[in-house]
């Protein structure tokens, strides 16, 4: 049977323990009908030899590696890995993020065969690793309703992604590989760290984004390129770069034009004019924005499933 899915683990200076747990979550899977691609962004230590040996000992032998000679950022790293993969779909993870439970990949394979989605996301369980691995509040996106296959609302999805800051995390997302490569090739040289902005490009292009309601990944909250204060500032600059790219590619798209006007609201204008532009495009008293600000994200996930990953990786848990 043809292998359909590659788990693409994108890493840069990976913490060895976090990487081991990510690989342990692969080893726990109740199927071996998948490939693995380890993509490294020119780290001083890529751990490829140790990682491939560990996976082989667990019966996972369809493992490839891709290493950038010079640091290029997450977009180029994932692009390089996707280009080296050979399956129709790829699922993206980073060290410290894990497949949710032993049945995750079997479930994804069933959905790929049944639905053949071009882009798909499911539910995440956020967790904090210290002082002990613990499920934490968190979920993206806030508004999941327009992604319902029975009532799909492409215009609302585009609005939410481009204007209302209601993005989808790339952790555990599944992409049709050729589609992801095409998007990242367009983004490379413009966006450096946010490969998951490809979803916002897909929204502008009209590519359907499939939602599922099963938990499929653990997302480490508080680390990585998007969850501490300094990283959030960097990601804001990344988003401006993405908006600039979208405006260059799709200058006639109404949502793109609004996003460009909003995020490039010229500072040389008077404060009154800038304020009017901002409030007209993204009204802060809009019911969506009010609900978004008041929302309390759920705590998803069974702590026992999280502990099982740590135990499989050989961690001594203090619980």
């Amino acid at each position: 049977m043809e292998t359909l899915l590659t788990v693409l683990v994108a890493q840069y200076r990976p913490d060895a323990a976090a990487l081991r747990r990510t690989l342990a979550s692969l080893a726990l899977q109740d199927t071996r009908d998948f490939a693995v691609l380890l993509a490294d962004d020119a780290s001083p230590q890529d751990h490829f030899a140790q990682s491939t040996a560990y996976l082989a000992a667990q019966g996972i032998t369809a493992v490839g590696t891709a290493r950038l000679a010079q640091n290029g950022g997450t977009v180029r790293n994932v692009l390089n890995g996707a280009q080296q993969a050979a399956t129709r779909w790829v699922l993206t993870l980073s060290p410290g993020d894990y497949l949710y439970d032993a049945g995750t990949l079997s479930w994804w394979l069933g959905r790929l065969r049944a639905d053949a989605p071009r882009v798909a996301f499911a539910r995440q369980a956020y967790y904090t690793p210290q002082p002990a691995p613990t499920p934490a509040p968190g979920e993206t996106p806030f508004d999941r309703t327009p992604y319902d296959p029975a009532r799909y609302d492409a215009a609302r999805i585009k609005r939410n992604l481009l204007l209302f800051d209601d993005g989808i995390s790339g952790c555990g997302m599944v992409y049709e590989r050729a589609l992801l490569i095409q998007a990242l090739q367009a983004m490379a040289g413009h966006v450096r760290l946010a490969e998951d902005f490809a979803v916002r490009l897909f929204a502008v292009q009209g590519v359907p984004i499939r939602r599922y309601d099963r938990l499929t990944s653990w997302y480490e909250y508080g680390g990585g390129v998007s969850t501490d204060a300094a990283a959030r500032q960097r990601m804001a600059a990344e988003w401006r770069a993405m908006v600039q790219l979208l405006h260059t590619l799709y200058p006639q798209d109404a949502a793109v034009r609004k996003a460009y006007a909003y995020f490039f609201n010229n500072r040389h204008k008077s404060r009154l004019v800038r304020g009017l532009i901002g409030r007209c495009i993204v009204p802060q008293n809009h019911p969506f924005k009010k609900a978004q600000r008041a929302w309390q994200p759920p705590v998803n996930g069974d702590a026992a499933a999280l502990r099982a990953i740590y135990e499989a990786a050989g961690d001594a848990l203090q619980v």
Side-chain angles (χ1 to χ4, degrees), residues 79-118:
L79 172 59
N80 189 43
Q83 288 172 326
Q84 300 303 315
T87 57
R88 180 174 173 183
W89 287 279
V90 294
L91 181 154
T92 54
L93 288 176
S94 294
D97 301 328
Y98 319 127
L99 298 176
Y100 178 72
D101 62 12
T104 296
L105 290 188
S106 290
W107 178 86
W108 266 121
L109 290 169
R111 299 278 44 87
L112 298 181
R113 293 186 181 106
D115 305 329
R118 304 205 69 194

Side-chain angles (χ1 to χ4, degrees), residues 6 15-16 19 42 61 90 93 95-96 103 117 121 125 133 143 161 171 176 195 198 203 221 226 245 273 288 308:
T6 294
D15 176 81
L19 174 58
T61 56
V90 294
L93 288 176
F121 70 98
D143 183 12
L161 288 171
C171 170
E176 203 171 59
E195 87 291 343
Y221 184 72
S226 59
L245 175 62
V273 171
F288 182 100

Side-chain angles (χ1 to χ4, degrees), residues 32-66:
R32 292 295 183 262
D33 185 18
F34 62 95
V36 178
L37 197 295
L38 306 171
D40 187 84
D41 193 11
S43 303
Q45 173 55 265
D46 57 34
H47 303 282
F48 281 170
Q50 300 94 319
S51 295
T52 53
Y54 170 81
L55 291 171
Q58 304 298 321
I60 302 172
T61 56
V63 180
T65 61

Side-chain angles (χ1 to χ4, degrees), residues 201-244:
L201 174 60
F202 299 147
V204 175
Q205 294 173 330
V207 176
I209 303 166
R210 186 68 182 251
R211 182 198 89 187
Y212 295 105
D213 290 328
R214 187 194 195 277
L215 283 168
T216 59
S217 61
W218 288 101
Y219 176 66
E220 181 183 0
Y221 184 72
V225 298
S226 59
T227 54
D228 63 44
R232 285 194 294 271
Q233 189 172 15
R234 289 196 300 271
M235 295 307 287
E238 290 282 287
W239 177 230
R240 285 172 60 87
M242 186 68 190
V243 171
Q244 178 69 69

Side-chain angles (χ1 to χ4, degrees), residues 165-176:
D165 193 27
D166 195 28
I168 306 169
S169 170
C171 170
M173 281 203 72
V174 170
Y175 307 87
E176 203 171 59

